[in-house]
Amino acid sequence: MRAAVLRNGVVETRTIADPTPGPGQLLVRSLACGICASDLHFMDHPEAGADDDSGMSTYDTDVDIVMGHEYVAEVVDHGPRTERRIPVGTRVSSLPILFTATGVKIIGQNPETPGGFGEYFLLSEPMARVVRSELPAELVSVADAISVGWSAATRAQVTPREVPMVIGCGAIGLSTIGTLKRLGVGPVVAVDFNAARRETARAMGADVLVDPAEVSPYAAWRDVATGSPDGARDLVAAAGLPGSVVFECVGLPGVLDGVIMGAERGTRVFSMGGPPAGEHLHTLTAKRKGINIQFGGGPSPEHWDQAFEAVCDGSYDVTPMVGHSVGLDEVPAALDDARDADGPARIIVVPTR
Amino acid sequence: MRAAVLRNGVVETRTIADPTPGPGQLLVRSLACGICASDLHFMDHPEAGADDDSGMSTYDTDVDIVMGHEYVAEVVDHGPRTERRIPVGTRVSSLPILFTATGVKIIGQNPETPGGFGEYFLLSEPMARVVRSELPAELVSVADAISVGWSAATRAQVTPREVPMVIGCGAIGLSTIGTLKRLGVGPVVAVDFNAARRETARAMGADVLVDPAEVSPYAAWRDVATGSPDGARDLVAAAGLPGSVVFECVGLPGVLDGVIMGAERGTRVFSMGGPPAGEHLHTLTAKRKGINIQFGGGPSPEHWDQAFEAVCDGSYDVTPMVGHSVGLDEVPAALDDARDADGPARIIVVPTR
């Protein structure tokens, strides 16, 4: 098959062997697959796997790896010992998890579990979900990215007495914003240096847009929490500020520590990013402020299913997040384009082009 | 008055001016005041206040400061504009907070808010709580230390499907252990390098004692969580491990990161310590594991009152934590003794000696 192949830190499009479905697996044809920042992190940081003893993700630089874990695909064949409950030709997606003879693996992050940046890949039949939707595959493929913000925003259980702030308006921040609005909480404050990303945040429902080059996000948050930049401060001081919930969706060193140093006492932080090397945190300040940090963790299967159905039934509109599509030959250039914060939140690879 | 006075990093006992109660304040005579690790941190780290913009704690090395914030005292006089609801001669204690003309201050951590390591100090009348107990002042003075573990253990809401582990068996760890047992959760795993501290942990109710020089606390935790060191692992693997709740009560660099690296996925961490300079954390591992960290924050006034009443009514036995008492002249030496992990969890200063 044709595939965009990662080897030794470089991606090039060439022909490699077709994958063969093992027991319980489906062979599927990739229809659309979004380029995610974690594809870039994965290819740039082979060392990041060293701390991870889960065995779910392996970057062997000497072997071909096909990335891509936000996919819609079409069933082509059923492997041995499958129930065959999903007919050939059906459009499907899944949490990017494959059950293999050597354990549970992330699809698109191991040599033996290719992803959607090639013509064919493998799904575990129990994980596969049918796309019950007339929407184009390019839009539905964004559901996996939506599930991350969906899960964080849902688990946060933001109350009417709290004002959420989303720092970083990439796909994860945008999906967090969209889910917070869907849950009816807010006003939602959205922070990004990039004007285009802020506009996308507005399209996803953000109520207040902050350029941190212009104003401190924490000062901006206080203005929103106190009702206005100019008035009502004494009133709020008496009643107490609303609670502060910060979603850190950047993942560059210093951002999480900046939240600790800048945010209000008692702030609840959802840290979705995370630089590969970790970072120095002012834990004494965190202690004095009584900060709570919930680190990442990814979506639960239930949250993934909920987000997927909401995208499929059209009630969760992802169109503001979706940019142009590219064929397999354009993947290497598109990966570079995806590094540009001025670009769309998602570039979609369409291998059938 | 006679007082153990901190100046320029050194404590010496000498005579200084008596404090004068301002509006809303009581003049009280110190009857007993525990030496806390945060007294040592405070005197050793004048720079630690630099990050703290609260103004509640000021270490001016050129001015006399009287430390001591875990006290029982006797009302001597009422300042102007007090309700005089507590008669002279009554034994009292309080959260170590003084309302002053220049704001809210921590008692024992500012030149103008002396603490219990002197003959006299000041309390805010609304904060003062009457000691309704026949217990000696030395025991009741430990209530403030108990309130820290009380608050953390209470807020943790440990369920029957979770196994708590307390790392570090100083006063905070011990008070956490005592409160967890009081709340009926467990088994409680207690970790300390020091054999004497482990024995005190046992006296406070810890069910399993771990010397981390002998065995990894996380391996020990798994043994407890799986029901035995030898059996039942497969059974637990099928049903899922109990949840993991870790109370980090050490505060030395590396301990919190060790929790992130060693603990189970989904662990809830209560970080009560915290080195003054902060520390490097493997946040990517924390993200992969979905770790939650609740940083310090101190006891709420409600939790302080609850812990104080439990100590006063004798239902919370603090005797395992209390060591010898010293007079004011012995405070400099006793502060050095308090640095010794082999010593008791609390040495009590009795200025009336």
Side-chain angles (χ1 to χ4, degrees), chain B residues 52-135:
Chain B
D52 183 9
D53 59 0
S54 71
M56 292 175 69
S57 172
T58 322
Y59 185 176
D60 183 341
T61 54
D62 296 332
V63 183
D64 290 346
I65 293 178
V66 182
M67 300 189 296
H69 57 270
E70 301 184 351
Y71 43 72
V72 168
E74 181 183 281
V75 176
V76 172
D77 197 8
H78 299 85
R81 297 206 288 283
T82 46
E83 295 180 10
R84 298 171 178 256
R85 63 180 172 84
I86 307 175
V88 166
T90 308
R91 294 198 304 172
V92 292
S93 183
S94 82
L95 248 177
I97 295 291
L98 191 72
F99 303 127
T100 77
T102 57
V104 180
K105 308 279 181 184
I106 296 175
I107 291 173
Q109 291 196 0
N110 296 275
E112 68 273 37
T113 63
F117 297 165
E119 286 182 281
Y120 300 102
F121 61 105
L122 305 172
L123 293 185
S124 280
E125 190 184 44
M127 300 300 292
R129 298 288 180 270
V130 173
V131 177
R132 298 184 201 286
S133 178
E134 300 301 311
L135 289 171

Side-chain angles (χ1 to χ4, degrees), chain A residues 43-328:
Chain A
M43 67 184 281
D44 292 347
H45 295 284
E47 80 288 357
D51 284 344
D52 182 11
D53 58 359
S54 71
M56 292 174 69
S57 172
T58 322
Y59 185 176
D60 183 340
T61 53
D62 296 332
V63 182
D64 290 348
I65 293 178
V66 182
M67 300 190 296
H69 56 271
E70 300 184 352
Y71 44 72
V72 168
E74 182 184 279
V75 176
V76 173
D77 196 8
H78 300 85
R81 297 204 289 283
T82 46
E83 296 181 10
R84 297 169 180 256
R85 63 181 172 84
I86 307 175
V88 167
T90 308
R91 293 199 304 172
V92 293
S93 183
S94 83
L95 248 177
I97 294 291
L98 191 72
F99 303 126
T100 77
T102 56
V104 180
K105 308 277 180 185
I106 297 175
I107 291 173
Q109 291 196 0
N110 296 276
E112 68 272 38
T113 63
F117 298 164
E119 286 182 281
Y120 299 102
F121 61 104
L122 305 172
L123 293 184
S124 281
E125 189 184 46
M127 300 299 293
R129 298 288 180 271
V130 172
V131 177
R132 299 185 199 287
S133 177
E134 300 301 310
L135 289 171
E138 289 89 328
L139 290 183
V140 177
S141 73
V142 181
D144 184 75
I146 297 297
S147 75
V148 180
W150 181 290
S151 190
T154 304
R155 283 182 289 143
Q157 297 188 288
V158 179
T159 72
R161 281 290 301 155
E162 293 177 313
V163 173
M165 178 157 74
V166 178
I167 299 180
C169 298
I172 304 309
L174 294 168
S175 67
T176 303
I177 292 166
T179 308
L180 287 168
K181 293 306 290 185
R182 187 182 170 95
L183 292 169
V185 297
V188 175
V189 182
V191 182
D192 202 297
F193 282 104
N194 186 280
R197 288 286 165 91
R198 291 197 301 276
E199 282 314 308
T200 310
R202 187 195 299 281
M204 296 300 289
D207 300 283
V208 179
L209 307 177
V210 178
D211 177 359
E214 300 267 322
V215 59
S216 153
Y218 308 100
W221 182 93
R222 281 189 73 90
D223 285 343
V224 174
T226 54
S228 98
D230 303 314
R233 295 223 180 199
D234 294 344
L235 220 71
V236 171
L241 272 179
S244 161
V245 184
V246 173
F247 296 87
E248 186 278 297
C249 307
V250 178
L252 294 175
V255 177
L256 180 58
D257 197 47
V259 175
I260 289 173
M261 298 306 280
E264 299 292 322
R265 284 168 193 272
T267 291
R268 300 197 288 131
V269 184
F270 287 77
S271 180
M272 330 267 285
E279 68 178 295
H280 185 277
L281 299 182
H282 283 84
T283 50
L284 185 64
T285 303
K287 179 190 169 198
R288 283 178 173 152
K289 290 185 172 180
I291 301 279
N292 183 282
I293 304 179
Q294 175 64 57
F295 288 95
S300 68
E302 293 71 24
H303 288 150
W304 193 92
D305 285 345
Q306 290 167 12
F308 177 68
E309 292 305 332
V311 172
C312 282
D313 70 20
S315 65
Y316 197 123
D317 180 15
V318 301
T319 48
M321 291 173 59
V322 179
H324 57 287
S325 302
V326 299
L328 286 177

Side-chain angles (χ1 to χ4, degrees), chain B residues 330-346:
Chain B
E330 300 158 279
V331 170
L335 284 163
D336 274 343
D337 291 346
R339 296 178 190 277
D340 178 5
D342 268 327
R346 279 292 176 270

